Amino acid sequence: MVLDRLDITWIALIGLAMATVLVPSVVIRPLLANALLLTFAALKGRRIVLDFLDLRAAPALWRDLVSAWVLIVVLFAWLASAIVALI
């Protein structure tokens, strides 16, 4: 059985989802846990964008713009959680 790119992405997404469930019980510091969870979210978002939305074959400009959008959303979420944790 040969795995194609979508199968590998699917397995990676399942692994990242399982890691997301495990992080809150393993990591004690909230800011670190939030950063780790949002890193997993960014990785999942990038894999979905590249493989399931098929932007891997798109021009580099579109790929970079959508990847930057995913990163900006994750950074804003982390910033909001950091502000809440520091207040």
Side-chain angles (χ1 to χ4, degrees):
M1 181 172 132
V2 177
L3 297 176
D4 65 349
R5 184 173 299 280
L6 290 180
D7 293 333
I8 294 170
T9 297
W10 185 248
I11 292 168
L13 289 174
I14 291 171
L16 286 168
M18 289 172 41
T20 300
V21 171
L22 293 176
V23 164
S25 62
V26 175
V27 180
I28 297 170
R29 300 187 61 157
L31 282 178
L32 180 62
N34 287 342
L36 198 55
L37 290 173
L38 290 170
T39 300
F40 291 159
L43 290 172
K44 289 188 285 188
R46 180 142 166 87
R47 291 301 294 242
I48 289 169
V49 163
L50 289 178
D51 293 327
F52 288 107
L53 296 180
D54 205 24
L55 283 182
R56 193 174 295 276
L61 175 67
W62 286 109
R63 209 173 34 246
D64 294 342
L65 283 174
V66 176
S67 295
W69 174 74
V70 169
L71 183 63
I72 288 169
V73 168
V74 167
L75 288 176
F76 274 125
W78 186 81
L79 182 63
S81 71
I83 289 172
V84 169
L86 294 175
I87 291 179

